mmCIF file with all atom_site columns, all heavy atoms in Angstrom:
data_model
loop_
_atom_site.group_PDB
_atom_site.id
_atom_site.type_symbol
_atom_site.label_atom_id
_atom_site.label_alt_id
_atom_site.label_comp_id
_atom_site.label_asym_id
_atom_site.label_entity_id
_atom_site.label_seq_id
_atom_site.pdbx_PDB_ins_code
_atom_site.Cartn_x
_atom_site.Cartn_y
_atom_site.Cartn_z
_atom_site.occupancy
_atom_site.B_iso_or_equiv
_atom_site.pdbx_formal_charge
_atom_site.auth_seq_id
_atom_site.auth_comp_id
_atom_site.auth_asym_id
_atom_site.auth_atom_id
_atom_site.pdbx_PDB_model_num
ATOM 1  N N   . GLY A 1 70 ? 86.939 99.389 96.834 1.00 0.00 ? 70 GLY A N   1
ATOM 2  C CA  . GLY A 1 70 ? 86.418 99.197 95.506 1.00 0.00 ? 70 GLY A CA  1
ATOM 3  C C   . GLY A 1 70 ? 86.094 97.704 95.316 1.00 0.00 ? 70 GLY A C   1
ATOM 4  O O   . GLY A 1 70 ? 86.395 96.897 96.182 1.00 0.00 ? 70 GLY A O   1
ATOM 5  N N   . VAL A 1 71 ? 85.336 97.468 94.280 1.00 0.00 ? 71 VAL A N   1
ATOM 6  C CA  . VAL A 1 71 ? 84.880 96.078 93.989 1.00 0.00 ? 71 VAL A CA  1
ATOM 7  C C   . VAL A 1 71 ? 85.270 95.650 92.603 1.00 0.00 ? 71 VAL A C   1
ATOM 8  O O   . VAL A 1 71 ? 85.084 96.398 91.581 1.00 0.00 ? 71 VAL A O   1
ATOM 9  C CB  . VAL A 1 71 ? 83.380 95.965 94.160 1.00 0.00 ? 71 VAL A CB  1
ATOM 10 C CG1 . VAL A 1 71 ? 82.840 94.603 93.711 1.00 0.00 ? 71 VAL A CG1 1
ATOM 11 C CG2 . VAL A 1 71 ? 82.971 96.240 95.584 1.00 0.00 ? 71 VAL A CG2 1
ATOM 12 N N   . LEU A 1 72 ? 85.856 94.453 92.509 1.00 0.00 ? 72 LEU A N   1
ATOM 13 C CA  . LEU A 1 72 ? 86.129 93.795 91.262 1.00 0.00 ? 72 LEU A CA  1
ATOM 14 C C   . LEU A 1 72 ? 85.039 92.705 90.997 1.00 0.00 ? 72 LEU A C   1
ATOM 15 O O   . LEU A 1 72 ? 84.873 91.898 91.866 1.00 0.00 ? 72 LEU A O   1
ATOM 16 C CB  . LEU A 1 72 ? 87.502 93.182 91.256 1.00 0.00 ? 72 LEU A CB  1
ATOM 17 C CG  . LEU A 1 72 ? 88.050 92.546 89.974 1.00 0.00 ? 72 LEU A CG  1
ATOM 18 C CD1 . LEU A 1 72 ? 88.087 93.620 88.874 1.00 0.00 ? 72 LEU A CD1 1
ATOM 19 C CD2 . LEU A 1 72 ? 89.404 92.004 90.250 1.00 0.00 ? 72 LEU A CD2 1
ATOM 20 N N   . LEU A 1 73 ? 84.283 92.835 89.908 1.00 0.00 ? 73 LEU A N   1
ATOM 21 C CA  . LEU A 1 73 ? 83.071 92.005 89.780 1.00 0.00 ? 73 LEU A CA  1
ATOM 22 C C   . LEU A 1 73 ? 83.014 91.395 88.393 1.00 0.00 ? 73 LEU A C   1
ATOM 23 O O   . LEU A 1 73 ? 83.173 92.029 87.366 1.00 0.00 ? 73 LEU A O   1
ATOM 24 C CB  . LEU A 1 73 ? 81.857 92.922 89.978 1.00 0.00 ? 73 LEU A CB  1
ATOM 25 C CG  . LEU A 1 73 ? 80.477 92.317 89.648 1.00 0.00 ? 73 LEU A CG  1
ATOM 26 C CD1 . LEU A 1 73 ? 80.129 91.238 90.622 1.00 0.00 ? 73 LEU A CD1 1
ATOM 27 C CD2 . LEU A 1 73 ? 79.407 93.423 89.604 1.00 0.00 ? 73 LEU A CD2 1
ATOM 28 N N   . ALA A 1 74 ? 82.777 90.068 88.369 1.00 0.00 ? 74 ALA A N   1
ATOM 29 C CA  . ALA A 1 74 ? 82.395 89.379 87.150 1.00 0.00 ? 74 ALA A CA  1
ATOM 30 C C   . ALA A 1 74 ? 80.885 89.181 87.175 1.00 0.00 ? 74 ALA A C   1
ATOM 31 O O   . ALA A 1 74 ? 80.361 88.308 87.896 1.00 0.00 ? 74 ALA A O   1
ATOM 32 C CB  . ALA A 1 74 ? 83.054 87.979 87.059 1.00 0.00 ? 74 ALA A CB  1
ATOM 33 N N   . PRO A 1 75 ? 80.103 90.083 86.597 1.00 0.00 ? 75 PRO A N   1
ATOM 34 C CA  . PRO A 1 75 ? 78.700 90.254 86.865 1.00 0.00 ? 75 PRO A CA  1
ATOM 35 C C   . PRO A 1 75 ? 77.799 89.176 86.300 1.00 0.00 ? 75 PRO A C   1
ATOM 36 O O   . PRO A 1 75 ? 77.976 88.766 85.162 1.00 0.00 ? 75 PRO A O   1
ATOM 37 C CB  . PRO A 1 75 ? 78.325 91.582 86.290 1.00 0.00 ? 75 PRO A CB  1
ATOM 38 C CG  . PRO A 1 75 ? 79.279 91.763 85.095 1.00 0.00 ? 75 PRO A CG  1
ATOM 39 C CD  . PRO A 1 75 ? 80.567 91.079 85.600 1.00 0.00 ? 75 PRO A CD  1
ATOM 40 N N   . GLU A 1 76 ? 76.868 88.744 87.080 1.00 0.00 ? 76 GLU A N   1
ATOM 41 C CA  . GLU A 1 76 ? 75.772 87.889 86.598 1.00 0.00 ? 76 GLU A CA  1
ATOM 42 C C   . GLU A 1 76 ? 74.486 88.739 86.390 1.00 0.00 ? 76 GLU A C   1
ATOM 43 O O   . GLU A 1 76 ? 74.439 89.835 86.926 1.00 0.00 ? 76 GLU A O   1
ATOM 44 C CB  . GLU A 1 76 ? 75.479 86.799 87.627 1.00 0.00 ? 76 GLU A CB  1
ATOM 45 C CG  . GLU A 1 76 ? 76.624 85.778 87.782 1.00 0.00 ? 76 GLU A CG  1
ATOM 46 C CD  . GLU A 1 76 ? 76.662 84.749 86.663 1.00 0.00 ? 76 GLU A CD  1
ATOM 47 O OE1 . GLU A 1 76 ? 76.967 85.188 85.498 1.00 0.00 ? 76 GLU A OE1 1
ATOM 48 O OE2 . GLU A 1 76 ? 76.469 83.564 86.880 1.00 0.00 ? 76 GLU A OE2 1
ATOM 49 N N   . PRO A 1 77 ? 73.491 88.264 85.639 1.00 0.00 ? 77 PRO A N   1
ATOM 50 C CA  . PRO A 1 77 ? 72.319 89.060 85.393 1.00 0.00 ? 77 PRO A CA  1
ATOM 51 C C   . PRO A 1 77 ? 71.595 89.448 86.720 1.00 0.00 ? 77 PRO A C   1
ATOM 52 O O   . PRO A 1 77 ? 71.509 88.705 87.666 1.00 0.00 ? 77 PRO A O   1
ATOM 53 C CB  . PRO A 1 77 ? 71.421 88.128 84.553 1.00 0.00 ? 77 PRO A CB  1
ATOM 54 C CG  . PRO A 1 77 ? 72.383 87.151 83.957 1.00 0.00 ? 77 PRO A CG  1
ATOM 55 C CD  . PRO A 1 77 ? 73.471 86.955 84.938 1.00 0.00 ? 77 PRO A CD  1
ATOM 56 N N   . LEU A 1 78 ? 71.052 90.719 86.708 1.00 0.00 ? 78 LEU A N   1
ATOM 57 C CA  . LEU A 1 78 ? 70.284 91.225 87.822 1.00 0.00 ? 78 LEU A CA  1
ATOM 58 C C   . LEU A 1 78 ? 68.772 91.108 87.515 1.00 0.00 ? 78 LEU A C   1
ATOM 59 O O   . LEU A 1 78 ? 68.353 90.952 86.367 1.00 0.00 ? 78 LEU A O   1
ATOM 60 C CB  . LEU A 1 78 ? 70.606 92.594 88.124 1.00 0.00 ? 78 LEU A CB  1
ATOM 61 C CG  . LEU A 1 78 ? 72.028 92.855 88.770 1.00 0.00 ? 78 LEU A CG  1
ATOM 62 C CD1 . LEU A 1 78 ? 72.283 94.351 88.807 1.00 0.00 ? 78 LEU A CD1 1
ATOM 63 C CD2 . LEU A 1 78 ? 72.098 92.218 90.162 1.00 0.00 ? 78 LEU A CD2 1
ATOM 64 N N   . GLY A 1 79 ? 67.884 91.181 88.582 1.00 0.00 ? 79 GLY A N   1
ATOM 65 C CA  . GLY A 1 79 ? 66.498 91.245 88.376 1.00 0.00 ? 79 GLY A CA  1
ATOM 66 C C   . GLY A 1 79 ? 66.183 92.591 87.603 1.00 0.00 ? 79 GLY A C   1
ATOM 67 O O   . GLY A 1 79 ? 66.835 93.564 87.749 1.00 0.00 ? 79 GLY A O   1
#
Side-chain angles (χ1 to χ4, degrees):
V71 172
L72 186 59
L73 171 67
E76 293 282 66
L78 288 172

